[in-house]
Amino acid sequence: MVAPLGLIFMIQWMLLFAPVCGGWRCTDLEMPDSPIRNLTLNRRKMEMSWVSSMNFTEYSCSVNAGDGEIKIKVKDTTCMFERNMAPPLHNGANFSVTAVNINTTYSSICTFIPQGMPGTAITNFSCVIYNVSLMNCTWHAGRDAPGDTQYFLYWQNSGEEEERECELYVKDENGRHTGCQFQNVMIKDTTTYFMVNGSSKDSLIRFHDEYIELYTIERLTPPLNVTASCTGYPQGCIIEWQEPLTSHVENKNCFQYEINIQNKDEPKEEKMDPPVRVRNYRYEFQNFNVKKIYILKIRARGKHCFVNSNWGEWSEPIEFDMNKILIPTH
């Protein structure tokens, strides 16, 4: 026998991803005789379809979720909003179809209204990918969610894949899901859809959804195999390294590097040398004193590619001097 909470959530989930959404409301007050009728929305694919009693050469579809309107033009009675431009719908959205025939504009408008009580949806949803293929997502419970509310995370890497539920939830002291841990995450050139729904015996819980390009939440690992080779004449050091590990980047030119070199013997408050930024894998350190010991670390970020443009993790600090000895500082 299915547990009450599980049954409630299963029904909510089926309604949420049904081709015609339960919160779908259409009004034709301004144009009751419009030939464009029966607008339906497939939430999983963000695909809208309709029936037309007239032949039009072109239709204009639009969606407005509060952050601006997105419009596309199609030749038939189906339009799909691609994931890289589709808005989340947890705050509701207006959908419309418009067509012109002999200087007359026809339209039909529908509104997606999220089901559930205000204040019950999760807040502060965020995800991060680290160590190449691990991902953590976290959230806070809705401020007005009943005490027995349980949340469930589903995600979908592309519109053609089935939704998958989190396999390893993070729980608080009351057993409520407050996060999810993922393994073997592959970053693809698609936008991933995340949806957190909830269930309660006392209230219908509102969902929260987001579209995220996974490369933008990847925390890059440090550059690999950092080495320094120094000579007294000509005086200088050659510093070399390799690109950080990723699951999806094959072009080595996709990275920019920041090199931080400090004199070990200087007080910390005096270590104000600005970092050096380069696009290649080799740097010549010319301001080198053969009597000094230096501390070196390097980090990377994406540049002009599908790689996170935020700086990643620093490499482990190493010491080097005229003897070409590289020693971890801890």
Side-chain angles (χ1 to χ4, degrees), residues 140-178:
H140 294 161
R143 67 182 184 277
D144 297 325
D148 71 334
T149 301
Q150 185 60 284
Y151 293 105
F152 303 88
L153 169 63
Y154 284 76
W155 69 309
Q156 186 184 34
N157 233 342
S158 72
E160 302 305 319
E161 296 182 3
E162 294 298 321
E163 303 83 23
R164 292 174 288 172
E165 186 182 357
C166 169
E167 296 182 354
L168 183 59
Y169 283 107
V170 177
K171 302 178 181 180
D172 63 15
E173 62 275 9
N174 298 317
R176 176 181 284 173
H177 299 160
T178 58

Side-chain angles (χ1 to χ4, degrees), residues 260-262 264 271 293-297 317-319 329:
N260 186 286
I261 302 174
Q262 300 294 341
K264 180 182 178 181
K271 295 181 179 181
I293 298 177
Y294 295 90
I295 298 177
L296 164 68
K297 58 183 181 179
I318 56 175
E319 295 181 2
T329 60

Side-chain angles (χ1 to χ4, degrees), residues 3-29:
L5 282 179
L7 179 60
I8 293 171
F9 174 72
M10 182 173 66
I11 294 172
Q12 291 177 356
W13 177 249
M14 293 172 64
L15 289 174
L16 182 63
F17 275 97
V20 181
C21 300
W24 191 243
R25 300 288 185 270
C26 300
T27 58
D28 297 305
L29 298 179

Side-chain angles (χ1 to χ4, degrees), residues 13-22 24 39-49 112:
W13 177 249
M14 293 172 64
L15 289 174
L16 182 63
F17 275 97
V20 181
C21 300
W24 191 243
L39 270 66
T40 60
L41 175 68
N42 185 317
R43 279 274 333 277
R44 185 172 69 84
K45 296 183 177 181
M46 278 301 286
E47 180 181 81
M48 187 166 58
S49 60
F112 175 78

Side-chain angles (χ1 to χ4, degrees), residues 93-114:
N94 293 320
F95 291 82
S96 69
V97 177
T98 303
V100 178
N101 183 51
I102 313 178
N103 298 324
T104 301
T105 300
Y106 300 95
S107 65
S108 185
I109 301 173
C110 292
T111 300
F112 175 78
I113 304 171

Side-chain angles (χ1 to χ4, degrees), residues 25-71:
R25 300 288 185 270
C26 300
T27 58
D28 297 305
L29 298 179
E30 297 181 0
M31 189 171 288
D33 298 325
S34 175
I36 303 172
R37 294 285 184 178
N38 300 334
L39 270 66
T40 60
L41 175 68
N42 185 317
R43 279 274 333 277
R44 185 172 69 84
K45 296 183 177 181
M46 278 301 286
E47 180 181 81
M48 187 166 58
S49 60
W50 59 92
V51 174
S52 178
S53 60
M54 292 180 62
N55 291 324
F56 297 100
T57 58
E58 185 178 75
Y59 298 90
S60 176
C61 307
S62 70
V63 55
N64 190 330
D67 295 327
E69 188 176 32
I70 299 171
K71 289 185 177 182

Side-chain angles (χ1 to χ4, degrees), residues 131-146:
N131 289 351
V132 181
S133 61
L134 301 178
M135 181 170 69
N136 277 356
C137 294
T138 60
W139 58 84
H140 294 161
R143 67 182 184 277
D144 297 325

Side-chain angles (χ1 to χ4, degrees), residues 222-322:
L224 300 174
N225 300 327
V226 179
T227 62
S229 178
C230 304
T231 59
Y233 187 82
Q235 188 172 302
C237 297
I238 301 300
I239 299 171
E240 296 179 303
W241 60 91
Q242 294 178 342
E243 72 275 10
L245 288 176
T246 68
S247 65
H248 68 294
V249 180
E250 297 181 357
N251 185 354
K252 295 183 178 181
N253 297 320
C254 285
F255 299 98
Q256 182 185 38
Y257 299 94
E258 186 169 84
I259 305 167
N260 186 286
I261 302 174
Q262 300 294 341
N263 188 331
K264 180 182 178 181
D265 298 327
E266 290 180 355
K268 291 184 178 181
E269 60 269 15
E270 295 182 10
K271 295 181 179 181
M272 301 298 293
D273 293 342
V276 177
R277 294 176 180 177
V278 298
R279 293 293 303 275
N280 52 22
Y281 302 90
R282 188 176 186 272
Y283 172 68
E284 185 173 351
F285 178 46
Q286 296 180 333
N287 187 25
F288 176 65
N289 187 324
V290 295
K291 298 180 180 180
K292 301 291 185 179
I293 298 177
Y294 295 90
I295 298 177
L296 164 68
K297 58 183 181 179
I298 305 176
R299 62 181 179 177
R301 69 175 178 180
K303 201 72 172 176
H304 307 308
C305 290
F306 292 110
V307 184
N308 193 344
S309 60
N310 293 323
W311 289 109
E313 297 177 350
W314 286 106
S315 62
E316 183 179 4
I318 56 175
E319 295 181 2
F320 69 93
D321 59 13
M322 183 59 197

